[in-house]
Amino acid sequence: MPEGVIRCPAIRSLVTNDQLEHVALVAKVQDVVRILSGNQNRHLSSKDPGSLANIAGLFAIHNHSIGAKSGGTIRERFRRLLSALSVGAGNESDREFSLAFFKSDGDHHGTVDFFTNDANGEFDAAHFDATMARFAPNGR
């Protein structure tokens, strides 16, 4: 599996540690929600401790949902948004998403971009150190 396409450190860690099952870099949104909420198979609500997992599910659907391009008709975009918000609120989903984040519709640069910006996606120690220095006490 080309790890470089997986830009999210959390998802990348789940995949490389064989915690998140996938077929050809396609995984189930509900599996991510379950794993990130302590492997609890339950209907989460926004007030439950697993609410961070719900947000991961929301982004999995909104940015990387299978069978739904980022554009599409207004109706398609609205359905995708409603599905994402539903998972964000704690509802289960049978949707799948692509783990190939690199150059996907949802790809973006951010402070968690600790990998080289290419298909290899090697860990970039210099970028990591620079980012961590920004958050250190007294800027160290």
Side-chain angles (χ1 to χ4, degrees):
M1 176 207 51
E3 292 177 2
V5 298
I6 304 175
R7 286 296 192 247
C8 173
I11 299 298
R12 189 175 186 163
S13 176
L14 294 176
V15 170
T16 57
N17 290 311
D18 295 324
Q19 293 177 289
L20 179 61
E21 293 182 17
H22 66 91
V23 174
L25 293 175
V26 172
K28 295 179 181 178
V29 170
Q30 198 59 39
D31 286 347
V32 170
V33 172
R34 178 185 47 77
I35 291 165
L36 294 179
S37 60
N39 282 318
Q40 298 180 50
N41 284 318
R42 62 191 175 102
H43 182 85
L44 300 171
S45 75
S46 59
K47 295 180 182 178
D48 284 333
S51 61
L52 178 62
N54 297 349
I55 299 305
L58 180 149
F59 282 111
I61 291 173
H62 191 265
N63 291 343
H64 305 287
S65 192
I66 294 295
K69 298 186 188 276
S70 65
T73 67
I74 291 176
R75 179 175 286 184
E76 290 167 339
R77 288 185 287 179
F78 186 68
R79 283 184 184 154
R80 187 174 60 248
L81 177 61
L82 286 179
S83 181
L85 291 173
S86 177
V87 169
N91 296 307
E92 292 185 7
S93 175
D94 60 356
R95 297 194 68 146
E96 295 179 321
F97 72 107
S98 173
L99 300 176
F101 299 146
F102 181 59
K103 293 192 176 181
S104 71
D105 292 332
D107 191 12
H108 59 87
H109 295 288
T111 57
V112 297
D113 188 15
F114 300 144
F115 310 107
T116 59
N117 194 26
D118 58 25
N120 292 328
E122 297 293 327
F123 179 70
D124 185 340
H127 183 85
F128 177 80
D129 290 343
T131 301
M132 292 297 103
R134 291 189 356 234
F135 299 105
N138 300 323
R140 293 194 242 174

